[in-house]
Amino acid sequence: MLHMQMLQNQSIQLKISPELSQAISMLQYSAEELLSFLQEKAEENPLIEFDELMDYSFLPSHSSPNTQADPLEFIAAEDIHLTDYLLEQLLFFDLSPDEKRLTTYLIQCLDENGYLQEDENEMALRLHTTQSEVERCLQLIQSLEPAGVGARNLQECLLLQLENIHMRTPLAEHILSIHFEDFAYRKWTKLAKLLEVDIGQIQDIHQMVLTLDPKPGLSYSNQGSPAVMPDYTMQFQNGKLLVTKNGQGIWNISLNKAYETMLRQNKKTEEGSYLREKYKEFQWIQNGLHTRNNTIHNVVLSLADCQ
């Protein structure tokens, strides 16, 4: 015969809040992964504003903190240096001896990222030629692969690549040509008002720019996997242990003032509900960043005391 009986059990369950979960995840990120994470969140959340100039250094790998490295990437491949690759392409052009000499010289002056850092006027004087000839040969280099090579700065590099993609728009070319600094500083609200366009259009252009390569020559360098930048370094100097915080590990986020005003003015609307949700996410990230910095700082000091 079956009997029904009420039983009372006492148990303890550990529940991790979303804030704590995010703080733990941020604590595990390297400096590069943290930068990538903050960049991604700033794209998704209009209330988050990055105060520093947009850093594209993570873009070539298009990685995120959750991306797992492909083991095949570490298998040695046949390396071809950027200089050799560009010189091979020159064989398809009918150049005079002087043009070939000058173009070859310019190619050899490119840095590992594919940029030309030297002054064109100084090079013209050194090679006993005109600045217009230097410019003409440089334009030839800029027509070669990889797209963006031969640029003199990041702005020109992105514009050169923009010429080769079908997604380019007159608005994108105008913003990168005329308003690059405001775009890089994510002053999108200011740009939207100035250009009389929707802020979503500017964010779409940003998404397109993220597909470009800010260092087109780097994939042809003979370097191995990049080293991870530590948040702190320790070294002995004059018999004393010196602990130094690396500048690359310092990033702060701030609240977008324009959206903060909208948040206050639209408390009971659907838009206000959306902004409150994003504001809560901003607070989580800000607190997680503060917790990460304090935790690493305390751990490093404890390790220094044990030395």
Side-chain angles (χ1 to χ4, degrees), residues 49 115 209 292 294:
E49 193 168 84
Y115 286 75
V209 169
R292 178 185 186 275
N294 285 344

Side-chain angles (χ1 to χ4, degrees), residues 117-290:
Q117 304 286 2
E118 295 196 35
D119 183 79
E120 296 162 52
N121 188 46
E122 291 181 2
M123 288 191 291
L125 293 174
R126 191 184 311 136
L127 298 174
H128 306 289
T129 187
T130 63
Q131 188 171 351
S132 61
E133 280 297 307
V134 174
E135 180 69 27
R136 192 166 64 86
C137 291
L138 180 59
Q139 288 177 357
L140 171 60
I141 295 173
Q142 291 177 346
S143 69
L144 304 177
E145 292 291 334
V149 72
R152 285 154 287 196
N153 51 55
L154 174 61
Q155 181 182 13
E156 185 177 28
C157 179
L158 297 177
L159 282 169
L160 287 171
Q161 294 178 63
L162 200 62
E163 295 174 359
N164 297 324
I165 61 176
H166 69 279
M167 294 185 296
R168 71 179 186 274
T169 63
L171 179 61
E173 293 176 350
H174 178 75
I175 288 177
L176 291 183
S177 300
I178 309 300
H179 305 284
F180 181 74
E181 185 173 338
D182 284 339
F183 181 74
Y185 274 102
R186 296 175 180 268
K187 297 180 180 179
W188 296 342
T189 304
K190 173 185 174 182
L191 280 176
K193 291 181 180 179
L194 181 66
L195 300 175
E196 297 181 346
V197 297
D198 187 80
I199 193 171
Q201 292 178 260
I202 298 177
Q203 291 174 331
D204 289 341
I205 292 173
H206 178 259
Q207 289 297 323
M208 179 183 62
V209 169
L210 290 181
T211 67
L212 306 180
D213 190 345
K215 300 178 181 179
L218 200 59
S219 58
Y220 294 90
S221 69
N222 293 323
Q223 297 179 346
S225 300
V228 175
M229 172 63 71
D231 289 84
Y232 287 83
T233 56
M234 295 184 186
Q235 56 182 339
F236 280 97
Q237 288 187 0
N238 301 323
K240 295 183 178 180
L241 183 64
L242 180 64
V243 179
T244 305
K245 183 174 179 60
N246 294 318
Q248 184 173 346
I250 304 175
W251 293 294
N252 289 311
I253 59 174
S254 59
L255 188 62
N256 186 292
K257 299 300 181 184
Y259 282 102
E260 184 181 12
T261 302
M262 292 175 60
L263 178 62
R264 293 172 179 172
Q265 295 175 346
N266 299 276
K267 291 184 178 181
K268 297 182 179 180
T269 63
E270 184 177 345
E271 183 181 32
S273 177
Y274 168 79
L275 291 176
R276 283 195 301 273
E277 181 182 339
K278 292 300 180 181
Y279 178 69
K280 186 180 296 185
E281 182 185 47
F282 164 79
Q283 290 181 310
W284 290 355
I285 296 174
Q286 191 176 52
N287 292 335
L289 194 60
H290 180 72

